[in-house]
Amino acid sequence: MTPPGADGGDTGRGGATGAGPATPGTEGFTALLEDSAEDLYEHAPCGYLSTLLDGEIARINTTLLGWLGLTREEVVGRMRFSDLLTVGGRLYHETHFAPLLRMQGEVSGVALELRRADGGRLPVLVTSGVKKGSDGQHLLIRTTVFDARERRAYENELLRARREAEEAAATAERERESTERERRRLREVLATLQRSLLPPSLPSVPNLEAAAHYHTASPDHLGGDFYDLFPLGEGRWGFFLGDVCGKGPEAAAVTSLIRYTLRAAVLHEPDAVGALHVLNGVLYERGAGGDPRHCTVIAGSLSPLDTDGDGIPGAYSIRFAGGGHPPALLLRSDGGAEYLPTPGGVLVGVLPDPRFVGTEVTLRAGDTLLLYTDGLTEARVGPESSRYGERALLTFAENLAPARAHHLVDVATALLGTFDPGADDDTALLALGVPPHHPQAPGTPT
Amino acid sequence: MDVRRRNNVVITGRPDGPVVMPAHGFGCDQNMWRLMVPALAERYRVVLFDYVGSGRSDLASWNPERYASLDGYARDVLEICEELDLRDVIFVGHSVSAMIGVRAVARAPHLFSELVMVAPSPRYLDDPGTGYRGGFTEADIEELLDALDSNYLGWSAAMAPVIMGNPGRPELGEELTESFCATDPTIARVFARTTFLSDTRDELPGLRVPTLILECERDPIAPREVGAHVHAAIPGSTLVTLEATGHCPHLSAPEATAGAILSFLRERGR
Amino acid sequence: MTELITGIRRIRNGTILAVRGELDFHSAELFHRTLRELTHNPGEVLVIDLDGLEFCDSSGITGFITARHRAVDAGARVALVNVPAHTARVLSIMGLDGILPAHPTVEAALDDGVRPTGTTGA
């Protein structure tokens, strides 16, 4: 397409003829040539009006009259610019638009609404300028009016979106706070519940040192590990440590059941194997009801010995049985360490008539027995997420032995702290040790 | 904070002259008086200011509770008088500021000698209960708030260079015009509501300060019916009707407005 | 973490349930849903193929036990194949290697059933 006036400057303005013969395909060019300033004013795609300084409308174009639905006779000399506005718009005009125009001589892009004859409204953008005489005297005001329906719809959408975003942000903040409160409350409840599954403190046992630690992997989940140490009468003590399969509230409920069942069973059954059979019966029966729950456990009893066989007093005989649980670890007073397996013991609660195996060991002065759950041996360590494992635990024990109960638990707790924090298995530790024997000073009879 | 800075106090005119304190209305700031100040400055000490939240006042001093009542704005006036130790003040209030002046005079009558009301209205809303016609309904005020909102969006783009602190446009004049009328939309909404929902009619009869009421012949905001109401309500007041259109005679007819004020003050020996 | 994937394939005399990824407290629910989709006929074998099982904690072991109970209740039996060393060790510690017998291959697991003396527990 040939640019209008490409070869003739602005000769076409005002409809001058003779700028050259019209060739086919240049109808647009011809139409431009024939366009008059007057026609452009009247039918421009925007509204024009001129007012006296007091706002009285002196001239208005056909486009704007069409938008308003008014005739020239109704408007010119009869109405002021502010009469075309909504009442709110008139207030805005008087308090902002008119003073600005007076002060600056022009105002541009102000959003207002026109009132149409049919009662409808037309959002517009208004630009006004003051025409000044040669001496700077204000003569009249020229105003252009643009149809802003789409722009206003878009702006309203923006405003609405901004309000909604502000409300949504406020709501989200409230919900976040509420969720955070709820979460804190839940954690407190969980912590309380978890504590209720463990002895508040270990009892004081004559000539025995006992220490325990419970490592909670996640404050949002109840762990299923448990332990206890309790009197059986006549100087004997019962103990157990275990791990319920699974976690959460159901596991906690089973943990509670296990704890009370085992306390009673260890007290009343003649040996640990019998106690595990009682527990197995309870869990298996519960599982048959559709809620299969199992646990691994080591349970047993401590009986004081007059001497340890070598004539050193203060030893304990420990008899215990295991059901599917990692073997207990014995740290000897001479610096050795060994596992005490209970082979063949099966996960408690799985089979109607399982086999459990008991074992017996003498805990001499300086010996310490460590019971633990698999959170310790199964913890992921190293770059390949390999497991810490029983071999590493044995090496750890050999390097540490001999160790008294509290020290052993402290060091093992520190070891847990070095493991991958992503590991989400709880860990329970229970150490039972006989204090080292310190021979009396020479010459003092024992 | 220092009241002078807080309210952008500007003092001009004859230092030993009587104090004239022009107060702007809703919408703009002390620049509204620009065309009239020269006529006043010859004889009077002119104390100009912006209400907190308007013009170049300290926006950080604004709070929605204080400025949700005309009394909050009246406190601005009294605090300026106190800070500058002004006495026998001739208070000139435009539009809503006329009623702010009424409240300031009621609280500290000893500070003021005359009150000039330019296009005043004690209540903008109609009151069907008493037959009072302010000219507006609450729906109209909501429309105004919408207009404020939609123009804030439009203006935010226009104001961007100012907000960004464009160093390429240091001309003082432009800076002045751009700050003129461009207030924070939240503050503008509060001022609009406070202005257009206020009602000071009950305080008019108690006014004991000589009062000049200036109204425009054709004022879309404060029609002559309202001017007549104010005149009737204030004992001994003078009503002058200006041959002017619009709500801002100090802009559209500054000479006539200044002339009416000056002759009123001369007659009173000020 | 590798997500758990389970797959079911019917074979002539049983079902192969393949388990890949990490079977723990969080993923055990998927495993149990998969189990509920399985049906067993008397004499059939449920082969649980653990090739690709990267992690299995006590929740996973509970899942295997549940699978085993469901199979046994229907007169079928269960066999594990491709058991990772770590899981084999856990099963051994828990005393479950008797009731969840492990086989090197699917064929071996299927063959085991035809022998007159199975090693299934109960």
Side-chain angles (χ1 to χ4, degrees):
Chain A
M1 181 171 174
T2 309
D7 62 347
D10 59 356
T11 53
R13 192 71 210 258
T17 56
T23 54
T26 59
E27 289 155 40
F29 184 51
T30 310
L32 188 66
L33 292 180
E34 290 171 356
D35 199 5
S36 70
E38 184 60 28
D39 192 55
L40 179 62
Y41 177 84
E42 289 298 338
H43 301 288
C46 62
Y48 288 123
L49 80 165
S50 304
T51 69
L52 306 182
L53 291 178
D54 68 359
E56 185 183 305
I57 295 170
R59 211 177 160 196
I60 182 167
N61 76 345
T62 308
T63 304
L64 186 51
L65 287 171
W67 288 350
L68 293 166
L70 295 171
T71 65
R72 203 172 303 275
E73 293 68 37
E74 288 172 303
V75 174
V76 172
R78 293 172 182 270
M79 294 178 87
R80 293 170 202 287
F81 175 60
S82 64
D83 295 334
L84 305 180
L85 303 173
T86 58
V87 181
R90 205 176 305 157
L91 280 170
Y92 189 78
H93 178 264
E94 293 299 328
T95 52
H96 290 76
F97 189 97
L100 265 177
L101 185 59
R102 283 279 179 184
M103 304 292 288
Q104 298 178 194
E106 69 166 30
V107 174
S108 66
V110 172
L112 293 168
E113 280 192 323
L114 299 183
R115 286 191 307 176
R116 296 150 75 134
D118 63 4
R121 288 155 181 243
L122 179 70
V124 291
L125 283 177
V126 176
T127 294
S128 290
V130 177
K131 179 181 164 68
K132 295 173 187 168
S134 54
D135 57 350
Q137 183 81 6
H138 290 200
L139 298 177
L140 52 86
I141 299 165
R142 287 167 168 165
T143 298
T144 350
V145 180
F146 291 94
D147 181 343
R149 273 175 294 200
E150 297 210 351
R151 181 188 143 139
R152 197 67 59 82
Y154 165 72
E155 284 181 349
N156 283 338
E157 197 58 28
L158 277 182
L159 276 175
R160 194 184 57 77
R162 189 178 68 185
R163 273 195 286 270
E164 278 179 8
E166 284 166 0
E167 279 163 24
T171 304
E173 177 61 15
R174 280 195 301 276
E175 279 172 2
R176 194 194 61 73
E177 280 170 9
S178 161
T179 304
E180 189 52 39
R181 264 200 310 280
E182 196 57 30
R183 192 179 158 95
R184 273 200 302 275
R185 200 184 62 80
L186 184 61
R187 285 183 172 189
E188 282 164 18
V189 169
L190 289 178
T192 305
L193 194 51
Q194 190 84 66
R195 279 196 298 276
S196 78
L197 299 175
L198 301 170
S201 64
L202 293 175
S204 169
V205 180
N207 201 39
L208 187 83
E209 292 174 339
H213 175 74
Y214 194 98
H215 171 76
T216 306
S218 164
D220 296 322
H221 288 294
L222 277 172
D225 292 4
F226 58 91
Y227 63 82
D228 206 351
L229 175 63
F230 49 97
L232 298 174
E234 298 169 353
R236 295 176 64 237
W237 296 81
F239 68 90
F240 53 77
L241 177 143
D243 181 359
V244 176
C245 293
K247 41 183 131 182
E250 299 86 354
V254 175
T255 305
S256 182
L257 172 70
I258 290 169
R259 193 168 167 224
Y260 293 107
T261 303
L262 268 181
R263 269 195 167 226
V266 171
L267 183 63
H268 294 296
E269 288 295 313
D271 63 19
V273 169
L276 291 192
H277 275 291
V278 170
L279 177 63
N280 186 75
V282 168
L283 291 184
Y284 186 79
E285 202 172 305
R286 187 184 166 100
D291 181 22
R293 287 293 162 180
H294 322 114
C295 73
T296 71
V297 66
I298 286 179
S301 60
L302 295 152
S303 304
L305 298 173
D306 288 339
T307 66
D308 63 358
D310 293 335
I312 297 172
Y316 273 93
S317 167
I318 301 185
R319 301 173 69 194
F320 63 95
H325 197 83
L329 187 56
L330 181 62
L331 281 71
R332 290 291 189 188
S333 60
D334 64 5
E338 63 187 287
Y339 282 116
L340 303 175
T342 47
V346 71
L347 189 63
V348 183
V350 177
L351 299 174
D353 188 20
R355 198 169 72 95
F356 297 114
V357 175
T359 189
E360 181 171 357
V361 66
T362 297
L363 208 58
R364 296 183 172 83
D367 290 350
T368 300
L369 183 70
L370 177 67
L371 306 178
Y372 56 91
T373 57
D374 64 1
L376 180 58
T377 47
E378 300 306 307
R380 294 181 214 217
V381 290
E384 300 285 306
S385 285
S386 56
R387 309 291 158 173
Y388 182 64
E390 287 175 24
R391 188 182 301 270
L393 181 60
L394 184 61
T395 305
F396 165 80
E398 285 168 346
N399 290 338
L400 197 63
R404 294 172 74 155
H406 286 96
H407 180 61
L408 174 58
V409 166
D410 286 349
V411 177
T413 301
L415 175 66
L416 281 174
T418 67
F419 292 159
D420 179 3
D424 59 356
D425 203 2
D426 285 16
T427 307
L429 303 172
L430 176 62
L432 304 170
V434 175
H437 176 68
H438 298 291
Q440 303 289 323
T444 307
T446 52
Chain B
M1 133 162 276
D2 174 15
V3 172
R4 295 180 203 223
R5 258 176 51 211
R6 186 191 71 178
N7 286 96
N8 186 30
V9 174
V10 174
I11 301 170
T12 182
R14 240 173 91 165
D16 58 346
V19 175
V20 170
M21 192 175 184
H24 68 87
F26 164 71
C28 294
D29 61 23
Q30 59 180 273
N31 282 294
M32 293 282 271
W33 302 104
R34 216 158 59 184
L35 304 181
M36 245 184 62
V37 166
L40 295 171
E42 284 175 27
R43 186 175 168 85
Y44 300 97
R45 185 179 178 210
V46 183
V47 179
L48 294 157
F49 70 99
D50 297 333
Y51 288 110
V52 171
S54 299
R56 299 178 149 227
S57 65
D58 175 49
L59 296 190
S61 299
W62 185 85
N63 75 70
E65 291 78 30
R66 171 164 169 166
Y67 295 101
S69 148
L70 292 188
D71 294 317
Y73 298 87
R75 273 173 60 193
D76 276 16
V77 173
L78 297 177
E79 283 162 10
I80 293 166
C81 292
E82 192 176 326
E83 173 73 19
L84 301 179
D85 199 21
L86 305 179
R87 288 288 182 277
D88 299 323
V89 174
I90 302 157
F91 187 87
V92 181
H94 172 232
S95 193
V96 71
S97 258
M99 297 305 135
I100 292 169
V102 169
R103 288 161 190 250
V105 169
R107 273 141 203 74
H110 60 284
L111 295 181
F112 300 92
S113 60
E114 279 87 11
L115 183 55
V116 177
M117 300 177 163
V118 181
S121 175
R123 177 182 163 108
Y124 297 89
L125 296 183
D126 295 337
D127 183 4
T130 62
Y132 173 85
R133 284 187 37 198
F136 299 94
T137 64
E138 291 206 33
D140 297 332
I141 306 310
E142 288 303 318
E143 266 186 5
L144 168 66
L145 298 178
D146 287 346
L148 287 172
D149 275 349
S150 48
N151 280 301
Y152 172 64
L153 267 186
W155 287 22
S156 61
M159 289 296 291
V162 178
I163 294 164
M164 302 296 285
N166 188 337
R169 299 174 60 189
E171 302 91 338
L172 189 66
E174 283 195 10
E175 203 180 353
L176 191 71
T177 53
E178 275 161 350
S179 71
F180 185 64
C181 288
T183 41
D184 178 287
T186 308
I187 294 175
R189 285 180 74 94
V190 171
F191 198 3
R193 279 187 182 282
T194 308
T195 297
F196 291 104
L197 302 181
S198 66
D199 188 347
T200 312
R201 288 176 298 168
D202 288 349
E203 301 206 27
L204 300 180
L207 206 55
R208 291 289 173 267
V209 172
T211 301
L212 168 67
I213 302 155
L214 281 177
E215 63 172 10
C216 294
E217 201 182 353
R218 291 170 298 274
D219 183 342
I221 292 188
R224 293 191 63 182
E225 196 175 340
V226 170
H229 176 95
V230 176
H231 179 51
I234 301 174
S237 62
T238 305
L239 175 66
V240 171
T241 306
L242 297 167
E243 168 60 37
T245 299
H247 188 54
C248 302
H250 45 323
L251 284 176
S252 60
E255 294 84 4
T257 306
I261 293 173
L262 290 174
S263 66
F264 169 75
L265 293 177
R266 279 214 190 83
E267 276 171 32
R268 300 218 4 99
R270 299 299 308 272
Chain C
M1 293 295 263
T2 312
E3 292 202 356
L4 182 71
I5 301 169
T6 61
I8 303 170
R9 184 158 59 95
R10 285 293 300 178
I11 52 173
R12 186 172 41 82
N13 52 347
T15 306
I16 297 179
L17 169 60
V19 185
R20 306 256 156 88
E22 306 204 351
L23 180 53
D24 59 11
F25 175 68
H26 304 286
S27 60
E29 178 53 33
L30 167 64
F31 184 79
H32 282 274
R33 272 203 305 277
T34 306
L35 284 185
R36 285 193 288 272
E37 290 168 12
L38 299 178
T39 52
H40 306 289
N41 296 314
E44 286 187 347
V45 188
L46 169 63
V47 179
I48 303 180
D49 184 351
L50 303 182
D51 189 16
L53 181 71
E54 293 170 18
F55 178 69
C56 177
D57 72 359
S58 62
S59 300
I61 302 294
T62 302
F64 297 155
I65 293 166
T66 304
R68 185 258 182 197
H69 286 342
R70 287 170 58 97
V72 169
D73 286 352
R77 64 187 173 86
V78 71
L80 305 184
V81 299
N82 297 319
V83 183
H86 160 260
T87 304
R89 200 162 52 83
V90 171
L91 288 170
S92 164
I93 291 170
M94 289 185 168
L96 297 175
D97 38 1
I99 64 166
L100 292 168
H103 298 274
T105 63
V106 174
E107 290 70 28
L110 295 175
D111 285 348
D112 189 53
V114 298
R115 291 213 304 265
T117 51
T119 53
T120 49

